[in-house]
Amino acid sequence: MPNYWWVNHKQTLRQEIDGQYLWSPKTERNGARSQFYDNMRRASPGDVVMSYANGQVAWVGRVAEFAFTAPKPAEFGNVGSYWDHEGWLLPVYWTPLSPPVRPKAMIQRLGPLLPQKYSPISALTGNGNQKAYLASVPSEVFDMVVAEAAFSADVLARGGGNSLTFDAVTEMLDDAIQKGLEVDATLDSTIKETVIQARRGQGAFRKNVEARERACRLTGITNPALLIASHIKPWRVCRTAAERLDGANGLLLTPDADHLFDRGFISFGNDGDVLVSPRVPDDDLRRLGFENLMRQRSGMSESAAIWRMDAFGAAHSKYLGYHRTQVFIA
């Protein structure tokens, strides 16, 4: 069964509906955690979102991908000028709700169904709550709101073939960064070339990774022809050329393992243990040929454990800390 969400996004309504996504900072302005922003990482593909702005719910969306790190969309312009540049992007396929529904008009019936903590609107007045962004709501709230209007459930469930995807967005972000590097007058041509090669796990970056790593930490494969040099802290979010070329910011992984790691479905502890996202179904791990990951997650005996390698050093651990908190889907 899907989870149900309610987003208050008056300031960014048009950009997020047109772009088929939601975007939020990762923390409050003062660096404090926000449940409403943390919820971006809790949302899962197939979940349902109601869009609330200007006193009405006019759109219903289906979460298309897990949220991932992305810069504040350029189309926001000066909106949220105090927000951090780096935040969470959650792809959502939107479809209209017609006619739009005004929750305030039904607050006497709706109020008792709203969550007592982290509610998107006041259960007494129906006004939007300050600082509320993405809020979890019971399915009964969704049912009551949409009962006042109509939307195409089939389109919501099956539409969105052209929606944003993790691969499409990250490729676009990488392209933009590469173009910036190509015209960066502070970098000489040799550095530019090596940093751009590192985007694909090639050149000096691969050599630096191979100097530290000898095998895929998920499968134990050592054949270089079967291994990808994968960044731990993604190339697109590295701040310097040194980070993009640092061998400690890389692992050698087989293509399937690289996809799981890059997408945040697995990560690694500093002790070398593999961490498996609880939101990857066992059936998917089995079909990918990673039954041992499934067994490890279920707590079976050590004899079922996957290939085990040594603990990571301090240099690797710094980057892995970023991956566990900003990439891994817990």
Side-chain angles (χ1 to χ4, degrees), residues 34-181:
S34 164
Q35 184 64 52
F36 298 112
Y37 297 157
D38 288 349
N39 284 340
M40 294 284 280
R41 292 282 275 172
R42 292 178 56 205
S44 298
D47 286 357
V48 178
V49 190
M50 290 183 291
S51 160
Y52 176 81
N54 302 308
Q56 64 183 17
V57 175
W59 298 85
V60 177
R62 186 193 77 245
V63 176
E65 292 257 6
F66 291 107
F68 52 89
T69 295
K72 186 173 75 170
E75 57 266 29
F76 280 14
N78 293 326
V79 173
S81 58
Y82 54 88
W83 291 336
D84 284 343
H85 174 72
E86 186 177 284
W88 299 122
L89 189 145
L90 181 69
V92 178
Y93 172 69
W94 297 106
T95 188
L97 185 67
S98 182
V101 177
R102 293 192 172 274
K104 194 169 186 175
M106 62 176 75
I107 196 61
Q108 289 186 341
R109 293 182 293 128
L110 188 63
L113 300 176
L114 291 167
Q116 293 184 359
K117 192 174 184 181
Y118 304 123
S119 177
I121 63 173
S122 168
L124 297 176
T125 67
N127 295 326
N129 283 331
Q130 189 177 14
K131 293 187 177 182
Y133 183 64
L134 187 65
S136 174
V137 294
S139 60
E140 292 82 2
V141 169
F142 174 81
D143 292 340
M144 183 175 290
V145 171
V146 301
E148 302 291 322
F151 69 97
S152 173
D154 184 65
V155 169
L156 184 67
R158 303 180 184 278
N162 295 324
S163 295
L164 293 177
T165 64
F166 172 80
D167 289 337
V169 173
T170 53
E171 186 76 9
M172 177 181 65
L173 294 173
D174 283 355
D175 285 346
I177 292 168
Q178 180 171 327
K179 289 177 182 178
L181 290 171

Side-chain angles (χ1 to χ4, degrees), residues 4-64:
Y4 292 87
W5 306 92
W6 177 310
V7 62
N8 291 350
H9 58 160
K10 178 180 178 179
Q11 291 188 87
T12 55
L13 170 70
R14 183 45 51 196
Q15 296 94 327
E16 293 182 321
I17 295 297
D18 289 349
Q20 300 191 71
Y21 64 84
L22 294 175
W23 186 91
S24 81
K26 293 183 176 180
T27 64
E28 297 281 2
R29 186 178 185 179
N30 62 2
R33 293 278 296 272
S34 164
Q35 184 64 52
F36 298 112
Y37 297 157
D38 288 349
N39 284 340
M40 294 284 280
R41 292 282 275 172
R42 292 178 56 205
S44 298
D47 286 357
V48 178
V49 190
M50 290 183 291
S51 160
Y52 176 81
N54 302 308
Q56 64 183 17
V57 175
W59 298 85
V60 177
R62 186 193 77 245
V63 176

